């Protein structure tokens, strides 16, 4: 992926998250010198398998498993300091030293305990209309950021400033918690003790991520900007309101670390060979019943953050074309091809019908996306194990045909095909 002309790559999820971004980031990180997250927070769950060891990372970039890669959390991330420290210690206890090569933007906003309380209480109050969030405080933390009530990493050095923000934030949160009908309350003094406990360690990681990335590129390094969630969870371009609260798409990458978009050379979209979604919201190619169960079990589709069963469905070309446009994808990494190895026949969504009228566009309103009926092509299965394939020519002919259809329907060239969760299970194309 990286060469003389490609020095800064953005990696984004193309569907509703869990596409295998962790695995592909890990594969690309072999050639990278720096990997940075640019949005989201501990709602992400990125899985990396190194030999027999499985790591699930929520905040720290998936480049962490290579010992010489610098890892950054950009200003666009919302940072839960306790989760960060736990993750550093989890890695340390498993022999991965990260603290001396980890940096966090001093401009990144903090997720505070009342953000998590509010996330849970709002979801509970919504009942059947809930989004199904990860309850990591993401929406409330971004709301405080945008409404200018947030606390940032750099503020940890100023106790009085922190106290003012926390006192006001807790008072507002408590009014809202009462409104949502829960008994829990935020305790500003307890929050301050927690912040005092983490402050020196988090401040020691503080950096200017934009300036670091620019220097890294000027001295010839390779930079990977790792997206979290997926394009259909983007707050503007996803299935609003069933989305997360950040710009997950490539346009957010530059702003989320503090560089200009002109420094980005390629945008790689990670897409499953089928589709999954976790949480509520429309999903046109969703499967039900036994078929869903089969795909969920074959793909081990259970959330890496919450353990919830993921909703499985067929590949949706309309979703991928929409994501390709919004992100300006220059290539695709197709993952989990091996999960389809045993199917006689595989359906591939190529269009939608809305009220009997064909549409090639992705509707804006969740209510309309609920109503579309996918138009499918039937593709023959290959009925053989692809897990050992390491080159295009080794892939069964029917799998090559299926991938070619994905490429044509998406209008984006395939650069990588993943055929298993291990690092080595990758096919490089072209
Ligand atoms: P992310 O959030 O996009 O990083 O994806 P997750 O880690 O949440 O979920 C992807 C899951 O699929 C993880 O358990 C990976 O180990 C696994 N995985 C990734 N690529 C492949 C693949 O090509 N084949 C199979 N069978 N599993 C894969
Ligand atoms: P990765 O990076 C899949 C979903 C939640 C919910 C919605 C809003 O592992 O792909 P939030 O907690 O962000 O306010 O929840 O977004 N969601 C994800 N789904 N993968 C993720 O991350 C997700 N992060 C959030 O399930 O529907
Ligand atoms: Mg995940």
């Amino acid at each position: 992926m990286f060469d003389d002309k490609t020095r800064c790559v953005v990696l984004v999820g193309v569907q509703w998250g869990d596409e295998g971004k962790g695995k592909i980031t890990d594969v690309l990180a072999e050639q990278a010198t720096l990997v940075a997250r640019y949005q989201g927070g501990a709602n992400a769950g990125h899985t990396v398998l190194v030999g027999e060891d499985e790591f699930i990372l929520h905040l720290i970039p998936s480049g962490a498993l290579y010992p010489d890669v610098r890892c950054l959390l950009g200003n666009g991330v919302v940072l839960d300091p306790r989760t960060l420290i736990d993750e550093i210690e989890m890695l340390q206890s498993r022999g991965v030293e990260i603290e001396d090569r980890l940096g966090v933007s001093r401009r990144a906003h903090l997720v505070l305990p009342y953000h998590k309380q509010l996330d849970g209480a709002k979801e509970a109050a919504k009942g059947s209309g809930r989004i199904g969030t990860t309850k990591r405080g993401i929406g409330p933390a971004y709301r405080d950021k945008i409404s200018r009530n947030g606390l940032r990493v750099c503020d940890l050095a100023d106790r009085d400033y922190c106290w003012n923000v926390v006192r006001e934030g807790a008072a507002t949160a408590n009014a809202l918690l009462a409104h949502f009908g829960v008994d829990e309350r935020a305790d500003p003094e307890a929050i301050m003790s927690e912040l005092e406990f983490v402050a020196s360690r988090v401040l020691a990681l503080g950096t200017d991520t934009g300036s670091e990335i620019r220097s890294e590129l000027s001295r010839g390094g390779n930079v990977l900007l790792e997206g979290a969630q997926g394009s259909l969870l983007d707050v503007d371009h996803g299935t609003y309101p069933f989305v997360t609260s950040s710009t997950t798409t490539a346009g957010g990458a530059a702003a989320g670390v503090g560089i200009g978009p002109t420094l980005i050379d390629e945008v790689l979209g990670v897409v499953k060979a089928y589709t999954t979604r976790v949480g509520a919201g429309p999903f046109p190619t969703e499967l039900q019943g036994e078929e869903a169960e089969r795909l969920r079990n074959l793909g081990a589709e259970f959330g890496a953050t919450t353990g919830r069963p993921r909703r499985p469905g067929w590949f949706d070309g309309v979703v991928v074309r929409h994501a390709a446009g919004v992100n300006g994808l220059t290539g695709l990494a197709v993952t989990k091809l091996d999960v389809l190895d045993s199917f006689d026949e595989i359906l591939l969504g190529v269009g939608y019908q809305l009220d009997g009228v064909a549409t090639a566009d992705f509707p804006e309103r969740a209510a309309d996306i609920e109503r579309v009926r996918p138009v499918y092509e039937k593709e023959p299965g290959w009925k053989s194990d692809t897990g050992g394939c390491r080159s295009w020519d080794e892939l069964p002919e029917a799998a090559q045909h299926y991938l070619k259809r994905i490429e044509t329907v998406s209008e984006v060239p395939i650069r990588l095909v993943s055929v298993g969760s291990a690092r080595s299970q990758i096919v490089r194309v072209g």
Side-chain angles (χ1 to χ4, degrees), residues 18-23 45-47 304 310 335-336 338-339 418-421:
D18 304 326
E19 296 90 348
K21 296 176 294 293
K23 147 94 195 236
H46 295 179
T47 314
R310 295 176 183 149
T335 60
K336 303 191 92 161
D338 55 296
V339 173
S418 175
V419 291
S421 43

Side-chain angles (χ1 to χ4, degrees), residues 13 16-22 37 39-47 57-58 119 123 130-140 142 226-230 233 241-246 248 276-281 303-306 308 310-311:
W16 281 279
D18 304 326
E19 296 90 348
K21 296 176 294 293
R37 283 267 313 266
Q39 47 67 232
N43 49 348
H46 295 179
T47 314
L57 299 168
H58 301 290
D119 195 353
E123 282 284 282
R130 65 181 169 268
I131 307 289
T133 73
T134 59
K135 303 200 179 120
R136 297 299 190 268
I138 304 300
Y142 277 116
E226 176 186 2
Q229 289 77 55
L233 290 171
F242 300 96
V243 292
T244 190
S245 301
S246 65
T248 61
T276 61
R277 169 162 208 170
V278 59
T305 297
T306 58
R308 290 178 291 177
R310 295 176 183 149
R311 301 157 57 192

